[in-house]
């Protein structure tokens, strides 16, 4: 299986399924985020799983520990492969999520978001977080690891710092990836798939270079060859 997770950033299930059917579940996994899930819900997750895909449910839970733990259990009951939470939700929230999933017969990977890449130093300062973005990312990645979660979502530019600080089995899931011959869209600090994998990324989240390609399967295979 390749490290690729294709972001199904569509507004409706019909478009998401049409794209998924052009892909190959032995070559990639798929990610369902807030818009698509809010519109299409658990039925779509079931349909994607029935097509053979591992599903990353990217809902970034952040709430009181009991609520997040129960939401993670609900995700596990859907049969998803990966689910995520915000590390800023606190140690007790991360522990509650992990402990809830431990008892599940089909435990999904549990990943935390550290600092969203849309935030800059002045944004962090305004919500009371001091230090650089990198310092905050590293502190939250260490907290995530200490709470026994499986890994973090991070920018490709944070891979090296986290890899040096935390053992190798800690999974790094990286968006902001653009193949060599692709446009940037609205991504700014990008890296190629091969660069990210060489630095130590475990999974690469890629959307438009595949979802907007004239031949999505060919675009997927080109990226796998590039890696
Ligand atoms: O189309 P593109 O490859 O830019 O899609 C990337 C996916 O990864 C989108 O679903 C986007 O929301 C997500 N993502 C991101 N950058 C982050 C976190 C998530 O692009 N820092």
């Amino acid at each position: 299986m390749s490290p690729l997770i294709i972001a199904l950033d569509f507004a409706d299930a019909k478009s998401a399924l049409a794209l998924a059917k052009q892909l190959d579940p032995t070559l990639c996994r798929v990610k369902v985020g807030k818009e698509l899930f809010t519109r299409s819900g658990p039925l779509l997750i079931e349909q994607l799983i029935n097509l053979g895909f591992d599903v990353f449910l990217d809902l970034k839970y952040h709430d009181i520990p009991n609520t997040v733990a129960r939401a993670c259990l609900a995700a596990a009951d859907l049969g998803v492969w990966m689910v995520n939470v915000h590390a800023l939700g606190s140690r007790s929230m991360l522990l509650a999520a992990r402990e809830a999933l431990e008892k599940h017969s089909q435990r999904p990977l549990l990943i935390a978001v550290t600092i969203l890449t849309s935030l800059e130093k002045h944004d962090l300062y305004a919500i009371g977080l001091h230090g650089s973005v990198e310092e905050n990312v590293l502190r939250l990645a260490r907290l995530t690891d200490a709470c026994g979660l499986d890994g973090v979502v991070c920018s490709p530019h944070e891979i090296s710092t986290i890899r040096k600080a935390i053992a190798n089995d800690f999974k790094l899931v990286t968006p902001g990836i653009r193949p060599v011959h692709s446009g940037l869209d609205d991504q700014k600090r990008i890296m190629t798939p091969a660069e990210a994998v060489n630095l130590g990324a475990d999974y690469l989240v890629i959307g438009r270079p595949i979802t907007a390609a004239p031949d999505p399967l060919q675009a997927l295979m080109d990226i796998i060859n590039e890696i």
Side-chain angles (χ1 to χ4, degrees), residues 7-9 31 33 58 60 115-118 153-155 174-178 184-187 205-211:
L8 297 178
D9 293 324
K31 175 172 95 69
D58 179 20
K60 302 187 182 73
I115 299 293
L116 292 169
T117 50
S118 52
V153 180
C154 68
S155 142
T174 321
I177 300 296
R178 285 294 175 269
L184 293 185
D185 302 310
D186 54 356
Q187 297 282 7
V205 175
I206 305 190
R208 288 159 291 180
I210 288 173
T211 58

Side-chain angles (χ1 to χ4, degrees), residues 68-198:
V68 167
R70 294 185 67 87
C72 287
L73 271 182
D77 286 344
L78 291 179
V80 303
W81 160 76
M82 179 183 278
V83 63
N84 61 0
V85 297
H86 270 285
L88 284 168
S90 81
R91 177 185 296 274
S92 55
M93 192 205 80
L94 295 173
L95 288 173
R98 193 205 80 202
E99 283 162 14
L101 289 182
E102 256 165 21
K103 300 168 212 137
H104 203 277
S105 58
Q106 276 183 282
R107 189 182 88 82
L109 290 171
L110 178 61
I111 301 291
V113 174
T114 57
I115 299 293
L116 292 169
T117 50
S118 52
L119 303 185
E120 296 178 19
K121 191 174 177 180
H122 64 91
D123 299 305
L124 299 186
Y125 190 79
I127 56 171
L129 293 175
H130 299 277
S132 67
V133 170
E134 193 177 72
E135 283 162 354
N136 279 280
V137 165
L138 194 54
R139 190 183 68 254
L140 290 166
R142 285 197 165 111
L143 175 67
T144 301
D145 185 43
C147 291
L149 275 70
D150 297 296
V152 288
V153 180
C154 68
S155 142
H157 298 276
E158 295 158 357
I159 298 170
S160 304
T161 312
I162 300 175
R163 268 281 162 260
K164 272 184 223 139
I166 303 177
N168 272 342
D169 59 349
F170 193 66
K171 305 263 182 278
L172 302 184
V173 180
T174 321
I177 300 296
R178 285 294 175 269
V180 175
H181 299 294
S182 159
L184 293 185
D185 302 310
D186 54 356
Q187 297 282 7
K188 289 182 188 134
R189 299 174 64 228
I190 53 111
M191 213 175 258
T192 68
E195 283 170 334
V197 167
N198 287 336

